[in-house]
Amino acid sequence: MKDLKILFRASAILWIIWGIVHILAGVITVNHILSGDISGSISGIADAVDPSTVQMDYPEAAGAIIGQHGFNLLWIGIVTFISAFFIWKKNKNAVFLAAITGGLADLGYFLFLDLGGFVNFIPGTLMTIVSSAAIILSFYAYFTEKKTSAK
C-alpha cells in the first residue's frame, strides 16, 4: 500500500507540472490574441514551423478560434493542476477528472500537432509523455488499491 502512495504522489507531481505548463501556454496564447498577434500565437503553438510561414493577416474569426484554444489550454491546465492536489490524497474522482481532461486534450494535440510534425519535442511532446505517465501511474495505483481492498 505504501508503494501505491508513491505512485499517486508521482502522478500528482506530473499533473502539477503539466497543469502549470498549460496554464502558461493558455495565458500566452490569449495574450497574443488580445494584442492582435494571431501569427505569434500560431507560431507559439506550432513551434517547429518556420514563423515566417505563418506571418499573414488572418481574419478576426481565426483569432477568435485561436483565442478559444488558448482559453481551453488555460482552464484545462487549471483543472488538472487542482486535481493533482486531490490525486496526492488518492481521490479517485480527481484521478479520472485529470485523466479525462488532460488526457483527451493531449490526445488531440498528439493526433494533430505531434503526428503532423508541427511541434518540437520540448515542451509539447514531452508534456504528452508527462500526461501519459501521470495517467498510467494513477490508474495503476487506483486499480491495484481497489483490487487489494476488495479482497
Side-chain angles (χ1 to χ4, degrees):
M1 286 295 212
K2 205 169 208 169
D3 294 338
L4 296 179
K5 186 177 185 179
I6 292 169
L7 295 179
F8 280 112
R9 290 186 172 181
S11 176
I13 290 166
L14 291 172
W15 280 125
I16 287 170
I17 293 166
W18 192 94
I20 290 170
V21 168
H22 285 77
I23 291 166
L24 292 174
V27 167
I28 291 167
T29 301
V30 169
N31 187 50
H32 276 291
I33 295 304
L34 294 176
S35 67
D37 185 15
I38 300 170
S39 298
S41 63
I42 292 173
S43 64
I45 295 165
D47 60 356
V49 174
D50 178 4
S52 66
T53 63
V54 297
Q55 288 293 323
M56 60 186 79
D57 289 328
Y58 289 94
E60 287 185 33
I65 292 166
I66 300 298
Q68 180 204 19
H69 173 70
F71 176 79
N72 286 341
L73 288 173
L74 177 64
W75 76 258
I76 288 167
I78 291 170
V79 167
T80 55
F81 181 81
I82 292 169
S83 293
F85 294 95
F86 292 95
I87 291 170
W88 184 276
K89 296 177 180 185
K90 305 190 303 183
N91 181 289
K92 95 171 175 187
N93 293 331
V95 165
F96 288 98
L97 180 60
I100 290 168
T101 306
L104 288 177
D106 263 352
L107 177 60
Y109 181 89
F110 177 75
L111 292 173
F112 295 102
L113 293 167
D114 265 327
L115 293 181
F118 300 114
V119 293
N120 291 318
F121 182 77
I122 295 175
T125 306
L126 180 60
M127 288 299 104
T128 301
I129 294 167
V130 166
S131 70
S132 298
I135 292 168
I136 291 166
L137 289 173
S138 62
F139 276 22
Y140 177 79
Y142 170 73
F143 287 110
T144 301
E145 185 174 75
K146 185 176 177 182
K147 186 192 297 185
T148 306
S149 66
K151 288 181 181 180

